[in-house]
Amino acid sequence: MPRSSPARSVSPHPGAWWLWSLSLGIAATRTTNPLLLALLVVVSAYVVATCRRPAPWSHSYTAFLRLALAVLLVRLLFAVVLGSPVPGTHVLVTLPELPLPDWSQGIRLGGRLTAEALVFALYDGLKLATLLVCVGAANALANPHRLLKSLPGALYELGVAVVVALTFAPHLIADVQRLRAARRLRGRPDTGIRGLLQVGLPVLEGALERSVALAAAMDARGYGRTAEVPSRVRRTTAALTLGGLLGVCAGTYGLLTAEGGTYGVPVLLAGLAAALAGLRLGGRRTPRTRYRPDRWTTRSLLVAGSGAAVAAVMFLASVADPVALHPGVVPLVAPVLPLWPAAAVLLGLLPAFLAPAPKEPSS
């Protein structure tokens, strides 16, 4: 009987990392308090720094941090250039206002920039930036290959396609670098339209040859072959999957908006249950075995549970004390850190003590 490697036995299930990260992201959508949002970013960054494995896919967190910073700056730029519907009395600067035609009523370019509008844009952009940082934490912590292996049978072909795409992309980049280096050694230009064509065509030719060889290998191993199932099973699978995905979309929309906070959770749970039932039923079309399946251990459940606890407490706090989680901008007030929601956010640090990355052996 195959046994799991020590690294696999210590590392939580990749699905647990995604549940933990998405729960922190859901918690971020329930507040605009910059102190709580900054605390969420610090918690995710500490867990990533502690639990990140030395692998190429684990270095994506920095890219998401830069993307979050860019989103925040763009949101502030829009508030400066296009103005904001938030009224304010503290005028920071008055920009030249460009006249617009009558059909563009409600839109302005330039004009007064108030502190209230700028702070409102900062809170709004910081919430979206925090959500992106949480998604980046999942990308840095969850092994994509293990996650794809854990997909249900109905998504097996989609998972294989993603793995093939992830495997081929580095080969294409390496081919381009190799051909450009060869042209430079021969004294030929590797830039411009002519250089692009003379480098791109051999790369495409090599990619096609590699794709044909891979397709032949996959066909020899039975890829794409499905088992016969009754028509009523196919119809039930389609209804459950489609209805479940619609429920997930509606529930997620409810969680991301303040108005849908009451129906978001039950609709999301019902949609998840229907989608999982549809995927399990659809797995009958692709019977297969799984080598060394990942198990949901107690450590994985605690990792996912810590994130779910943060999201649940933030949801309750947004209902019980919405003023603390949404500091006012008209009039301007300094944000205050609410104690028990902040303490709940610290529960997200639990994975840093449950699943730290193994230390590298000293030379």
Side-chain angles (χ1 to χ4, degrees):
M1 178 183 295
R3 294 182 178 179
S4 301
S5 64
R8 287 165 59 89
S9 61
V10 172
S11 179
H13 194 283
W17 285 125
W18 271 101
L19 289 177
W20 173 83
S21 304
L22 292 179
S23 298
L24 293 188
I26 292 174
T29 62
R30 310 310 302 175
T31 179
T32 56
N33 191 318
L35 300 179
L36 285 176
L37 294 173
L39 190 59
L40 283 168
V41 173
V42 171
V43 166
S44 70
Y46 183 79
V47 173
V48 169
T50 308
C51 304
R52 184 169 56 182
R53 308 280 164 167
W57 43 264
S58 65
H59 299 290
S60 60
Y61 188 69
T62 305
F64 276 89
L65 285 177
R66 293 174 180 170
L67 178 61
L69 180 60
V71 167
L72 181 60
L73 294 178
V74 168
R75 182 66 181 87
L76 291 175
L77 181 64
F78 278 8
V80 172
V81 176
L82 302 179
S84 173
V86 176
T89 56
H90 299 80
V91 180
L92 298 177
V93 65
T94 302
L95 300 174
E97 187 170 357
L98 298 178
L100 295 177
D102 296 336
W103 54 264
S104 61
Q105 289 184 357
I107 302 176
R108 66 178 176 86
L109 292 175
R112 294 192 318 157
L113 175 63
T114 62
E116 290 87 349
L118 200 61
V119 171
F120 177 80
L122 175 65
Y123 291 174
D124 198 36
L126 190 58
K127 183 169 67 173
L128 183 56
T130 306
L131 183 60
L132 287 173
V133 170
C134 294
V135 175
N139 279 274
L141 293 171
N143 188 331
H145 299 287
R146 288 178 58 192
L147 183 63
L148 291 174
K149 284 176 61 178
S150 303
L151 288 176
L155 300 177
Y156 169 70
E157 296 179 3
L158 176 63
V160 172
V162 173
V163 169
V164 170
L166 292 175
T167 305
F168 267 57
H171 287 292
L172 287 178
I173 296 174
D175 287 346
V176 171
Q177 293 176 345
R178 179 171 51 82
L179 289 172
R180 292 186 65 186
R183 290 185 62 82
R184 285 195 297 270
L185 289 175
R186 294 171 184 169
R188 298 175 181 175
D190 61 329
T191 57
I193 297 178
R194 185 179 178 183
L196 180 64
L197 291 176
Q198 293 183 351
V199 170
L201 291 178
V203 170
L204 289 177
E205 183 182 358
L208 287 175
E209 291 178 353
R210 198 179 295 120
S211 300
V212 171
L214 178 65
M218 293 172 69
D219 183 67
R221 288 166 174 79
Y223 176 77
R225 297 174 186 173
T226 57
E228 289 293 332
V229 294
S231 58
R232 56 182 177 82
V233 174
R234 293 198 300 270
R235 288 194 293 268
T236 306
T237 301
L240 286 174
T241 306
L242 183 60
L245 292 179
L246 290 176
V248 170
C249 293
T252 305
Y253 177 78
L255 286 177
L256 296 179
T257 57
E259 294 79 8
T262 54
Y263 70 83
V265 174
V267 172
L268 177 61
L269 294 178
L272 280 176
L276 291 177
L279 291 176
R280 185 173 181 81
L281 202 59
R284 294 184 180 182
R285 297 185 70 243
T286 55
R288 63 190 179 94
T289 58
R290 186 174 298 170
Y291 180 64
R292 289 183 177 178
D294 270 320
R295 305 294 184 188
W296 279 84
T297 61
T298 304
R299 182 181 289 108
S300 301
L301 295 176
L302 288 175
V303 168
S306 65
V310 175
V313 173
M314 290 293 287
F315 179 80
L316 294 176
S318 66
V319 176
D321 192 6
V323 177
L325 269 65
H326 299 278
V329 294
V330 182
L332 277 175
V333 294
V336 178
L337 183 66
L339 293 181
W340 63 277
V345 172
L346 295 180
L347 289 175
L349 289 173
L350 189 61
F353 305 98
L354 290 175
K359 296 181 180 179
E360 296 182 359
S362 58
S363 57

